[in-house]
Amino acid sequence: MIQRIYTLFVVVVLLTACKEEVEKEKAVAVKTTKQYAETYRPQYHFSPKSGWMNDPNGLVYHDGIYHLFYQYFPDATVWGPMHWGHAVSQDLVNWKHKPIALFPDEKGFIFSGSAVVDVNNTSGFGKDGKVPLVAVFTYFRLDIEKAGGINTQTQGIAYSLDNGDTWIKYEGNPVLDNTTMKDFRDPKVFWHEDTESWIMVLVAGDHAKLYRSKNLKDWNHISDFGKEQGAHGGVWECPDLFKLKVEGSDEEKWVLIISIGSGGPNGGSGTQYFIGNFDGDNFISDQTMHRWLDWGADNYAGVTYNNTPNGDRIFVGWMSNWQYALKTPTSTWRSAMTLPRKLSLKKRDGFYDLKNYPISRFDFSKGLSGQKKIIDSTQPFNLTENALGQAVISFKAPKKSFKLSVGNVLGEATTLLFDMNSNLLMLDRTKSGKTNFNYEFGNKLHYMPVKDLPEEFEVKLFLDRSSIEIFLNKGQYVMTDQIFPTAAYTNLTIENESMNSIELDDFKLQGISSIWEGDD
């Protein structure tokens, strides 16, 4: 959900300012490209057919289907009155677009939220043995904000008896009213076995608030968290609270994810996390330092799936940043989602790391024969591969300094510098392609501290037509950035920055087919 709510005046100005540009871009796209083949269109990341998209919403699995709902404005490629768009998948790789699930109404726009499977029919919405899906979302009243009111956001619910194909809004909405807070949104709901109740965590400006319900309709406030903890460079948004087992043990910890619209680790939007415990009433964490789920500039508002078939905690984020989200140089659509990632907890020296790593279905390099690459200190390794702009690259690297660049025949390149003397990974997209649409996008390096990497670690890069996702040591360190090359990347160069030769083991490169082939 947008970090500050646009007034009606701002929305009208945005739509008016962009109208001619959008129509011109649409005309060009119709004449020169097929849908899903437009310039910069991601080929294996989810994006809407057309229009504006931001936060993933209502991530839930039921009866063999993964549902992806999302913040959506179908009438332009800029933010506007929010709907819930909808897509479904059986494998989290290939997606099918569905009709819009939730439309704005007299109670407001439909902002971010979550969805649950009400197996025990606690809500009473189930009929004739049909298990209801229940969506919990934020209503936003633009008219109240325009009149100077602050109580613009309340929580509503809707239900579906046909596995998400159609939705009925609850006639008793809102189920959680608000009279005193400006920011009061993004409810994430889950079933808590120990208390046999539904728990809702939402955000209220600078902290999270927790509520309990027995029926998804009547909610009672139980606790708050975060006023004195975590990063507060911007308004808190899109919370998620869940339990994970610590790798290699029977220990379990609770994880709270919070996004902030500004103040992220490399400027603008970012996603932080807290490790602690939840006793059914209070989430408590003694964490004092800021922890970032992703160090890149373009992973925001991410949440996890409810009700996954094997209990995996699967995360999807919005691949953009509010510093420039409205200006990225796409045509008929705007924005994409990150790859679905499995979350896990690793304990290290008394601390817990939240790792995130692409689900196994995206390990396209499996079965390939890995090669050994020896990079001399004076001679770089060069590779030309037409599929590079839509591929996964992986190898095992020693903890030595080296530089990796992917580029095109025009001289545009995205460069990674592994500086092990400073224990940093630096990503340079200043010459990656089109960057002049926004100063913040293309005028600085992005940094990620990597001091705790082992002596040998896996490097895995996912390149799509307008993004790069970097995973080190199976998701211990992660960076996600958008890029907009004006021609496809075809060149890979690796240069040794240390005194001695570097050996890269199990080197693999695999092109990835479009998930949209045959979809018109």
Side-chain angles (χ1 to χ4, degrees):
M1 185 178 296
I2 192 164
Q3 67 167 8
R4 64 184 187 277
I5 307 304
Y6 286 85
T7 63
L8 181 60
F9 172 77
V10 174
V11 173
V12 170
V13 168
L14 279 172
L15 295 179
T16 302
C18 294
K19 184 176 180 181
E20 291 186 6
E21 176 187 353
V22 169
E23 292 305 317
K24 191 181 298 182
E25 288 175 340
K26 283 184 177 180
V28 171
V30 168
K31 290 179 181 178
T32 62
T33 68
K34 179 183 177 183
Q35 198 166 33
Y36 305 111
E38 305 100 324
T39 303
Y40 306 130
R41 171 73 81 167
Q43 292 301 294
Y44 60 93
H45 291 77
F46 179 82
S47 58
K49 274 190 174 183
S50 61
W52 164 272
M53 178 184 76
N54 56 291
D55 309 1
N57 297 156
L59 304 186
V60 67
Y61 175 89
H62 183 55
D63 280 353
I65 297 296
Y66 291 92
H67 293 272
L68 169 62
F69 302 94
Y70 51 90
Q71 291 286 275
Y72 186 49
F73 183 44
D75 297 332
T77 56
V78 293
W79 188 94
M82 286 290 98
H83 304 54
W84 268 26
H86 187 200
V88 295
S89 175
Q90 295 182 359
D91 58 7
L92 290 169
V93 177
N94 300 283
W95 293 94
K96 179 181 178 181
H97 293 288
K98 303 285 282 185
I100 292 171
L102 296 174
F103 290 80
D105 59 34
E106 71 281 357
K107 293 184 174 69
F109 298 170
I110 311 296
F111 276 3
S112 291
S114 53
V116 298
V117 183
D118 187 10
V119 176
N120 298 318
N121 197 26
T122 63
S123 62
F125 292 142
K127 295 179 182 179
D128 302 323
K130 294 180 180 178
V131 175
L133 295 185
V134 180
V136 188
F137 55 88
T138 296
Y139 269 122
F140 168 66
R141 291 282 299 273
L142 190 60
D143 56 334
I144 293 177
E145 182 180 78
K146 185 182 177 185
I150 63 171
N151 57 328
T152 60
Q153 298 172 30
T154 59
Q155 316 314 313
I157 61 176
Y159 66 94
S160 172
L161 298 178
D162 54 11
N163 201 8
D165 283 344
T166 58
W167 291 85
I168 301 170
K169 291 172 184 168
Y170 176 50
E171 61 184 12
N173 281 336
V175 295
L176 184 55
D177 211 343
N178 166 39
T179 58
T180 61
M181 289 174 280
K182 176 183 178 182
D183 301 303
F184 185 70
R185 57 182 180 263
D186 308 349
K188 178 60 186 283
V189 174
F190 63 93
W191 179 256
H192 187 242
E193 291 286 352
D194 292 348
T195 58
E196 295 185 340
S197 61
W198 298 101
I199 301 296
M200 176 196 293
V201 55
L202 54 73
V203 280
D206 63 351
H207 67 285
K209 302 184 79 68
L210 282 79
Y211 295 80
R212 173 179 289 115
S213 175
K214 293 292 185 179
N215 59 11
L216 293 166
K217 301 172 183 175
D218 304 301
W219 294 92
N220 296 306
H221 177 241
I222 53 176
S223 62
D224 294 344
F225 172 82
K227 287 186 177 182
E228 307 298 329
Q229 289 179 263
H232 288 276
V235 173
W236 279 23
E237 298 187 297
C238 301
D240 198 353
L241 180 62
F242 50 86
K243 184 167 59 176
L244 280 179
K245 183 171 285 189
V246 179
E247 286 184 357
S249 75
D250 293 326
E251 184 181 13
E252 293 181 323
K253 301 293 289 186
W254 285 80
V255 180
L256 175 65
I257 292 175
I258 297 285
S259 290
I260 55 172
S262 57
N266 274 292
S269 309
T271 304
Q272 62 182 318
Y273 69 89
F274 303 87
I275 308 297
N277 292 294
F278 176 62
D279 62 6
D281 292 308
N282 299 279
F283 174 76
I284 298 172
S285 174
D286 58 6
Q287 183 174 306
T288 57
M289 56 183 170
H290 301 167
R291 308 296 304 275
W292 300 104
L293 183 140
D294 190 309
W295 284 82
D298 293 306
N299 185 352
Y300 187 62
V303 287
T304 65
Y305 269 89
N306 281 332
N307 199 49
T308 55
N310 56 4
D312 285 350
R313 187 56 58 175
I314 299 172
F315 170 97
V316 177
W318 175 47
M319 198 153 52
S320 198
N321 189 310
W322 281 116
Q323 286 186 326
Y324 43 75
L326 297 165
K327 298 294 184 180
T328 53
T330 58
S331 54
T332 54
W333 89 102
R334 188 167 270 129
S335 296
M337 298 299 183
T338 67
L339 292 181
R341 305 172 182 185
K342 180 180 176 180
L343 302 185
S344 60
L345 271 183
K346 180 74 173 179
K347 192 173 184 179
R348 174 185 49 80
D349 299 328
F351 292 93
Y352 301 89
D353 289 330
L354 181 64
K355 298 166 65 176
N356 63 113
Y357 194 67
I359 60 172
S360 59
R361 297 182 188 92
F362 276 98
D363 192 359
F364 299 108
S365 62
K366 275 185 176 178
L368 292 179
S369 297
Q371 299 177 332
K372 186 176 292 186
K373 305 292 183 184
I374 297 177
I375 316 298
D376 188 76
S377 57
T378 59
Q379 185 68 38
F381 165 72
N382 291 290
L383 175 70
T384 300
E385 173 57 62
N386 288 335
L388 191 62
Q390 194 175 309
V392 55
I393 305 166
S394 65
F395 53 87
K396 293 178 182 176
K399 198 172 182 181
K400 294 182 180 180
S401 297
F402 63 95
K403 183 166 65 175
L404 183 152
S405 295
V406 286
N408 59 27
V409 295
L410 302 177
E412 299 168 344
T414 299
T415 300
L416 307 178
L417 175 60
F418 293 79
D419 183 354
M420 293 311 174
N421 295 318
S422 302
N423 290 311
L424 288 173
L425 169 62
M426 289 168 275
L427 186 147
D428 183 354
R429 65 177 179 184
T430 60
K431 299 179 176 65
S432 59
K434 192 166 187 178
T435 64
N436 61 1
F437 55 88
N438 178 268
Y439 178 83
E440 296 295 338
F441 183 88
N443 285 280
K444 59 183 177 182
L445 302 182
H446 293 163
Y447 295 86
M448 176 168 63
V450 293
K451 65 178 181 178
D452 295 316
L453 282 172
E455 291 305 310
E456 184 180 66
F457 58 95
E458 181 197 64
V459 177
K460 183 162 282 194
L461 312 176
F462 286 86
L463 285 158
D464 206 343
R465 291 189 181 177
S466 54
S467 65
I468 180 169
E469 290 169 282
I470 305 153
F471 300 89
L472 305 185
N473 198 33
K474 300 290 186 181
Q476 179 183 354
Y477 294 107
V478 180
M479 292 189 84
T480 303
D481 270 9
Q482 293 181 91
I483 50 176
F484 297 98
T486 55
Y489 284 165
T490 56
N491 305 317
L492 169 66
T493 301
I494 304 176
E495 298 179 60
N496 189 346
E497 299 283 319
S498 64
M499 299 295 293
N500 303 311
S501 62
I502 290 178
E503 187 175 289
L504 304 182
D505 203 7
D506 201 22
F507 181 93
K508 300 175 183 176
L509 187 153
Q510 176 67 53
I512 300 176
S513 298
S514 173
I515 64 173
W516 304 115
E517 287 181 355
D519 194 333
D520 57 6

PDB file of all heavy atoms in Angstrom, residues 318-333:
ATOM      1  N   TRP A 318       6.693  -7.052  -3.989  1.00  0.00           N
ATOM      2  CA  TRP A 318       6.489  -6.137  -5.119  1.00  0.00           C
ATOM      3  C   TRP A 318       7.852  -5.620  -5.552  1.00  0.00           C
ATOM      4  O   TRP A 318       8.586  -5.050  -4.734  1.00  0.00           O
ATOM      5  CB  TRP A 318       5.569  -5.000  -4.697  1.00  0.00           C
ATOM      6  CG  TRP A 318       5.370  -3.923  -5.717  1.00  0.00           C
ATOM      7  CD1 TRP A 318       5.086  -4.077  -7.037  1.00  0.00           C
ATOM      8  CD2 TRP A 318       5.418  -2.502  -5.496  1.00  0.00           C
ATOM      9  NE1 TRP A 318       4.955  -2.854  -7.661  1.00  0.00           N
ATOM     10  CE2 TRP A 318       5.154  -1.872  -6.737  1.00  0.00           C
ATOM     11  CE3 TRP A 318       5.649  -1.711  -4.382  1.00  0.00           C
ATOM     12  CZ2 TRP A 318       5.124  -0.482  -6.879  1.00  0.00           C
ATOM     13  CZ3 TRP A 318       5.616  -0.325  -4.515  1.00  0.00           C
ATOM     14  CH2 TRP A 318       5.349   0.274  -5.750  1.00  0.00           C
ATOM     15  N   MET A 319       8.204  -5.804  -6.810  1.00  0.00           N
ATOM     16  CA  MET A 319       9.542  -5.483  -7.294  1.00  0.00           C
ATOM     17  C   MET A 319       9.586  -4.033  -7.778  1.00  0.00           C
ATOM     18  O   MET A 319       9.683  -3.755  -8.984  1.00  0.00           O
ATOM     19  CB  MET A 319       9.950  -6.461  -8.392  1.00  0.00           C
ATOM     20  CG  MET A 319      11.432  -6.479  -8.649  1.00  0.00           C
ATOM     21  SD  MET A 319      12.061  -8.045  -9.315  1.00  0.00           S
ATOM     22  CE  MET A 319      10.989  -8.333 -10.710  1.00  0.00           C
ATOM     23  N   SER A 320       9.554  -3.105  -6.793  1.00  0.00           N
ATOM     24  CA  SER A 320       9.656  -1.696  -7.131  1.00  0.00           C
ATOM     25  C   SER A 320       9.984  -0.898  -5.882  1.00  0.00           C
ATOM     26  O   SER A 320      10.222  -1.464  -4.808  1.00  0.00           O
ATOM     27  CB  SER A 320       8.359  -1.188  -7.780  1.00  0.00           C
ATOM     28  OG  SER A 320       8.597   0.026  -8.475  1.00  0.00           O
ATOM     29  N   ASN A 321      10.002   0.419  -6.029  1.00  0.00           N
ATOM     30  CA  ASN A 321      10.394   1.329  -4.961  1.00  0.00           C
ATOM     31  C   ASN A 321       9.619   2.627  -5.166  1.00  0.00           C
ATOM     32  O   ASN A 321       9.557   3.142  -6.294  1.00  0.00           O
ATOM     33  CB  ASN A 321      11.906   1.578  -5.042  1.00  0.00           C
ATOM     34  CG  ASN A 321      12.452   2.322  -3.853  1.00  0.00           C
ATOM     35  OD1 ASN A 321      11.939   3.357  -3.436  1.00  0.00           O
ATOM     36  ND2 ASN A 321      13.537   1.803  -3.292  1.00  0.00           N
ATOM     37  N   TRP A 322       9.028   3.146  -4.069  1.00  0.00           N
ATOM     38  CA  TRP A 322       8.190   4.336  -4.217  1.00  0.00           C
ATOM     39  C   TRP A 322       8.972   5.576  -4.643  1.00  0.00           C
ATOM     40  O   TRP A 322       8.376   6.590  -5.025  1.00  0.00           O
ATOM     41  CB  TRP A 322       7.424   4.604  -2.927  1.00  0.00           C
ATOM     42  CG  TRP A 322       6.226   3.723  -2.791  1.00  0.00           C
ATOM     43  CD1 TRP A 322       5.992   2.769  -1.846  1.00  0.00           C
ATOM     44  CD2 TRP A 322       5.075   3.685  -3.661  1.00  0.00           C
ATOM     45  NE1 TRP A 322       4.788   2.139  -2.070  1.00  0.00           N
ATOM     46  CE2 TRP A 322       4.202   2.684  -3.169  1.00  0.00           C
ATOM     47  CE3 TRP A 322       4.709   4.384  -4.799  1.00  0.00           C
ATOM     48  CZ2 TRP A 322       2.986   2.379  -3.778  1.00  0.00           C
ATOM     49  CZ3 TRP A 322       3.491   4.085  -5.413  1.00  0.00           C
ATOM     50  CH2 TRP A 322       2.653   3.096  -4.890  1.00  0.00           C
ATOM     51  N   GLN A 323      10.308   5.524  -4.621  1.00  0.00           N
ATOM     52  CA  GLN A 323      11.075   6.668  -5.116  1.00  0.00           C
ATOM     53  C   GLN A 323      10.825   6.915  -6.602  1.00  0.00           C
ATOM     54  O   GLN A 323      10.904   8.050  -7.070  1.00  0.00           O
ATOM     55  CB  GLN A 323      12.571   6.441  -4.891  1.00  0.00           C
ATOM     56  CG  GLN A 323      13.021   6.586  -3.450  1.00  0.00           C
ATOM     57  CD  GLN A 323      14.529   6.497  -3.327  1.00  0.00           C
ATOM     58  OE1 GLN A 323      15.184   5.766  -4.061  1.00  0.00           O
ATOM     59  NE2 GLN A 323      15.090   7.236  -2.384  1.00  0.00           N
ATOM     60  N   TYR A 324      10.568   5.820  -7.355  1.00  0.00           N
ATOM     61  CA  TYR A 324      10.435   5.971  -8.803  1.00  0.00           C
ATOM     62  C   TYR A 324       9.381   5.050  -9.409  1.00  0.00           C
ATOM     63  O   TYR A 324       9.298   4.914 -10.634  1.00  0.00           O
ATOM     64  CB  TYR A 324      11.777   5.695  -9.492  1.00  0.00           C
ATOM     65  CG  TYR A 324      12.525   4.501  -8.946  1.00  0.00           C
ATOM     66  CD1 TYR A 324      12.144   3.190  -9.237  1.00  0.00           C
ATOM     67  CD2 TYR A 324      13.623   4.681  -8.104  1.00  0.00           C
ATOM     68  CE1 TYR A 324      12.826   2.101  -8.726  1.00  0.00           C
ATOM     69  CE2 TYR A 324      14.311   3.602  -7.580  1.00  0.00           C
ATOM     70  CZ  TYR A 324      13.909   2.315  -7.893  1.00  0.00           C
ATOM     71  OH  TYR A 324      14.575   1.238  -7.371  1.00  0.00           O
ATOM     72  N   ALA A 325       8.563   4.423  -8.581  1.00  0.00           N
ATOM     73  CA  ALA A 325       7.608   3.411  -9.065  1.00  0.00           C
ATOM     74  C   ALA A 325       6.682   3.947 -10.153  1.00  0.00           C
ATOM     75  O   ALA A 325       6.316   3.219 -11.083  1.00  0.00           O
ATOM     76  CB  ALA A 325       6.781   2.876  -7.900  1.00  0.00           C
ATOM     77  N   LEU A 326       6.299   5.209 -10.057  1.00  0.00           N
ATOM     78  CA  LEU A 326       5.366   5.794 -11.022  1.00  0.00           C
ATOM     79  C   LEU A 326       6.030   6.181 -12.341  1.00  0.00           C
ATOM     80  O   LEU A 326       5.341   6.558 -13.298  1.00  0.00           O
ATOM     81  CB  LEU A 326       4.708   7.039 -10.414  1.00  0.00           C
ATOM     82  CG  LEU A 326       3.847   6.812  -9.168  1.00  0.00           C
ATOM     83  CD1 LEU A 326       3.575   8.132  -8.467  1.00  0.00           C
ATOM     84  CD2 LEU A 326       2.550   6.123  -9.515  1.00  0.00           C
ATOM     85  N   LYS A 327       7.368   6.079 -12.408  1.00  0.00           N
ATOM     86  CA  LYS A 327       8.101   6.609 -13.557  1.00  0.00           C
ATOM     87  C   LYS A 327       8.859   5.558 -14.352  1.00  0.00           C
ATOM     88  O   LYS A 327       9.488   5.897 -15.368  1.00  0.00           O
ATOM     89  CB  LYS A 327       9.108   7.674 -13.069  1.00  0.00           C
ATOM     90  CG  LYS A 327       8.472   8.883 -12.402  1.00  0.00           C
ATOM     91  CD  LYS A 327       7.644   9.689 -13.389  1.00  0.00           C
ATOM     92  CE  LYS A 327       7.086  10.962 -12.758  1.00  0.00           C
ATOM     93  NZ  LYS A 327       6.287  11.742 -13.719  1.00  0.00           N
ATOM     94  N   THR A 328       8.846   4.303 -13.935  1.00  0.00           N
ATOM     95  CA  THR A 328       9.621   3.300 -14.667  1.00  0.00           C
ATOM     96  C   THR A 328       9.160   3.227 -16.125  1.00  0.00           C
ATOM     97  O   THR A 328       7.971   3.391 -16.417  1.00  0.00           O
ATOM     98  CB  THR A 328       9.506   1.921 -13.998  1.00  0.00           C
ATOM     99  OG1 THR A 328       8.124   1.580 -13.827  1.00  0.00           O
ATOM    100  CG2 THR A 328      10.199   1.922 -12.646  1.00  0.00           C
ATOM    101  N   PRO A 329      10.085   2.969 -17.067  1.00  0.00           N
ATOM    102  CA  PRO A 329       9.791   3.171 -18.497  1.00  0.00           C
ATOM    103  C   PRO A 329       9.105   1.995 -19.183  1.00  0.00           C
ATOM    104  O   PRO A 329       9.535   1.539 -20.245  1.00  0.00           O
ATOM    105  CB  PRO A 329      11.198   3.393 -19.079  1.00  0.00           C
ATOM    106  CG  PRO A 329      12.081   2.550 -18.219  1.00  0.00           C
ATOM    107  CD  PRO A 329      11.512   2.682 -16.822  1.00  0.00           C
ATOM    108  N   THR A 330       8.016   1.516 -18.597  1.00  0.00           N
ATOM    109  CA  THR A 330       7.237   0.469 -19.242  1.00  0.00           C
ATOM    110  C   THR A 330       6.083   1.098 -20.012  1.00  0.00           C
ATOM    111  O   THR A 330       5.820   2.294 -19.895  1.00  0.00           O
ATOM    112  CB  THR A 330       6.711  -0.542 -18.213  1.00  0.00           C
ATOM    113  OG1 THR A 330       5.922   0.134 -17.230  1.00  0.00           O
ATOM    114  CG2 THR A 330       7.869  -1.244 -17.512  1.00  0.00           C
ATOM    115  N   SER A 331       5.365   0.282 -20.775  1.00  0.00           N
ATOM    116  CA  SER A 331       4.363   0.849 -21.678  1.00  0.00           C
ATOM    117  C   SER A 331       2.944   0.564 -21.208  1.00  0.00           C
ATOM    118  O   SER A 331       2.319   1.383 -20.536  1.00  0.00           O
ATOM    119  CB  SER A 331       4.578   0.309 -23.092  1.00  0.00           C
ATOM    120  OG  SER A 331       4.591  -1.114 -23.102  1.00  0.00           O
ATOM    121  N   THR A 332       2.407  -0.607 -21.519  1.00  0.00           N
ATOM    122  CA  THR A 332       0.996  -0.885 -21.245  1.00  0.00           C
ATOM    123  C   THR A 332       0.739  -1.365 -19.827  1.00  0.00           C
ATOM    124  O   THR A 332      -0.411  -1.455 -19.412  1.00  0.00           O
ATOM    125  CB  THR A 332       0.490  -1.955 -22.226  1.00  0.00           C
ATOM    126  OG1 THR A 332       1.358  -3.097 -22.155  1.00  0.00           O
ATOM    127  CG2 THR A 332       0.493  -1.420 -23.644  1.00  0.00           C
ATOM    128  N   TRP A 333       1.775  -1.705 -19.107  1.00  0.00           N
ATOM    129  CA  TRP A 333       1.655  -2.178 -17.724  1.00  0.00           C
ATOM    130  C   TRP A 333       2.745  -1.519 -16.896  1.00  0.00           C
ATOM    131  O   TRP A 333       3.690  -0.917 -17.446  1.00  0.00           O
ATOM    132  CB  TRP A 333       1.827  -3.705 -17.666  1.00  0.00           C
ATOM    133  CG  TRP A 333       3.267  -4.094 -17.484  1.00  0.00           C
ATOM    134  CD1 TRP A 333       3.884  -4.496 -16.340  1.00  0.00           C
ATOM    135  CD2 TRP A 333       4.305  -4.029 -18.473  1.00  0.00           C
ATOM    136  NE1 TRP A 333       5.234  -4.706 -16.564  1.00  0.00           N
ATOM    137  CE2 TRP A 333       5.512  -4.418 -17.865  1.00  0.00           C
ATOM    138  CE3 TRP A 333       4.329  -3.660 -19.814  1.00  0.00           C
ATOM    139  CZ2 TRP A 333       6.724  -4.462 -18.550  1.00  0.00           C
ATOM    140  CZ3 TRP A 333       5.543  -3.698 -20.498  1.00  0.00           C
ATOM    141  CH2 TRP A 333       6.715  -4.103 -19.871  1.00  0.00           C
TER     142      TRP A 333
END
